[in-house]
Amino acid sequence: MHAAQLRSLSYWASHYKHAPFYREGLSFSDYAPAIYLGIAARGDHPEACFKDLVADLEERYAQVRQGSRLNWIRASEVAEAAWLSIHDEAEAA
Protein backbone atom coordinates (compact mmCIF):
# COMPACT_ATOMS: atom_id res chain seq x y z
CA MET A 1 0.00 0.00 0.00
CA HIS A 2 1.35 3.44 -0.94
CA ALA A 3 1.66 6.38 1.44
CA ALA A 4 -1.48 8.09 0.11
CA GLN A 5 -3.44 4.87 0.53
CA LEU A 6 -2.19 4.44 4.10
CA ARG A 7 -3.13 8.04 4.90
CA SER A 8 -6.59 7.44 3.49
CA LEU A 9 -7.05 4.25 5.51
CA SER A 10 -5.89 6.08 8.64
CA TYR A 11 -8.28 8.93 7.87
CA TRP A 12 -11.23 6.55 7.58
CA ALA A 13 -10.29 4.75 10.80
CA SER A 14 -10.64 8.07 12.62
CA HIS A 15 -13.58 9.54 10.70
CA TYR A 16 -15.87 6.73 9.57
CA LYS A 17 -18.49 7.65 12.18
CA HIS A 18 -18.92 11.04 10.49
CA ALA A 19 -19.44 9.66 6.99
CA PRO A 20 -22.90 9.61 5.38
CA PHE A 21 -22.76 5.81 5.15
CA TYR A 22 -22.25 5.31 8.90
CA ARG A 23 -24.88 3.26 10.74
CA GLU A 24 -25.12 3.32 14.53
CA GLY A 25 -23.76 0.19 16.18
CA LEU A 26 -21.28 -0.72 13.46
CA SER A 27 -17.55 -0.61 14.15
CA PHE A 28 -14.58 0.21 11.97
CA SER A 29 -13.99 -3.52 11.49
CA ASP A 30 -17.36 -3.67 9.69
CA TYR A 31 -16.30 -0.89 7.31
CA ALA A 32 -12.60 -1.73 6.93
CA PRO A 33 -12.89 -4.40 4.20
CA ALA A 34 -14.96 -2.10 1.96
CA ILE A 35 -12.73 0.89 2.66
CA TYR A 36 -9.67 -1.16 1.85
CA LEU A 37 -11.23 -2.36 -1.42
CA GLY A 38 -12.03 1.17 -2.52
CA ILE A 39 -8.57 2.44 -1.70
CA ALA A 40 -6.80 -0.53 -3.30
CA ALA A 41 -8.97 -0.42 -6.42
CA ARG A 42 -8.12 3.24 -6.93
CA GLY A 43 -4.44 2.43 -6.68
CA ASP A 44 -4.74 -0.56 -9.03
CA HIS A 45 -6.93 1.23 -11.60
CA PRO A 46 -6.25 4.98 -11.33
CA GLU A 47 -7.83 5.82 -14.69
CA ALA A 48 -10.91 3.60 -14.34
CA CYS A 49 -14.41 4.60 -13.37
CA PHE A 50 -15.63 3.07 -10.10
CA LYS A 51 -18.81 1.80 -11.74
CA ASP A 52 -16.74 -0.18 -14.25
CA LEU A 53 -15.14 -2.12 -11.40
CA VAL A 54 -18.22 -2.87 -9.30
CA ALA A 55 -18.67 -6.49 -10.43
CA ASP A 56 -15.02 -7.30 -9.70
CA LEU A 57 -15.14 -5.50 -6.37
CA GLU A 58 -18.26 -7.41 -5.35
CA GLU A 59 -16.40 -10.69 -5.92
CA ARG A 60 -13.37 -9.41 -4.03
CA TYR A 61 -15.55 -8.23 -1.15
CA ALA A 62 -16.90 -11.74 -0.69
CA GLN A 63 -13.29 -12.88 -0.25
CA VAL A 64 -12.14 -10.14 2.15
CA ARG A 65 -15.35 -9.47 4.09
CA GLN A 66 -14.01 -11.21 7.22
CA GLY A 67 -17.14 -11.05 9.34
CA SER A 68 -18.18 -7.54 8.34
CA ARG A 69 -21.88 -7.00 8.94
CA LEU A 70 -22.20 -4.95 5.74
CA ASN A 71 -23.87 -6.59 2.79
CA TRP A 72 -22.47 -5.76 -0.63
CA ILE A 73 -24.96 -2.97 -1.32
CA ARG A 74 -23.87 -1.08 1.81
CA ALA A 75 -20.22 -2.04 1.30
CA SER A 76 -20.24 -0.67 -2.25
CA GLU A 77 -21.26 2.77 -0.91
CA VAL A 78 -18.33 2.64 1.51
CA ALA A 79 -15.88 1.43 -1.14
CA GLU A 80 -16.94 4.23 -3.48
CA ALA A 81 -16.49 6.84 -0.75
CA ALA A 82 -12.97 5.52 -0.09
CA TRP A 83 -12.29 5.48 -3.85
CA LEU A 84 -13.37 9.10 -4.14
CA SER A 85 -11.27 10.18 -1.16
CA ILE A 86 -8.14 8.89 -2.92
CA HIS A 87 -9.23 10.65 -6.13
CA ASP A 88 -9.83 13.93 -4.29
CA GLU A 89 -6.47 13.69 -2.52
CA ALA A 90 -4.68 13.04 -5.85
CA GLU A 91 -6.32 16.05 -7.46
CA ALA A 92 -5.40 18.28 -4.51
CA ALA A 93 -1.73 17.27 -4.72
Side-chain angles (χ1 to χ4, degrees):
M1 201 172 251
H2 294 83
Q5 292 170 320
L6 288 172
R7 281 192 305 274
S8 187
L9 188 59
S10 178
Y11 168 84
W12 284 113
S14 299
H15 294 88
Y16 74 99
K17 287 185 177 182
H18 305 290
F21 56 71
Y22 177 70
R23 302 287 184 264
E24 188 69 37
L26 296 178
S27 67
F28 182 69
S29 64
D30 291 308
Y31 294 103
I35 290 169
Y36 173 79
L37 278 181
I39 292 169
R42 187 67 179 172
D44 293 344
H45 308 282
E47 301 301 321
C49 175
F50 182 83
K51 292 179 185 195
D52 294 339
L53 302 173
V54 169
D56 179 56
L57 292 177
E58 183 176 9
E59 287 181 30
R60 289 176 60 190
Y61 183 68
Q63 297 170 354
V64 301
R65 187 173 179 180
Q66 299 180 0
S68 170
R69 293 179 280 176
L70 297 180
N71 63 25
W72 171 244
I73 293 171
R74 295 273 188 232
S76 67
E77 297 171 4
V78 176
E80 187 170 17
W83 166 281
L84 291 171
S85 72
I86 289 288
H87 176 72
D88 292 347
E89 186 174 313
E91 284 189 350

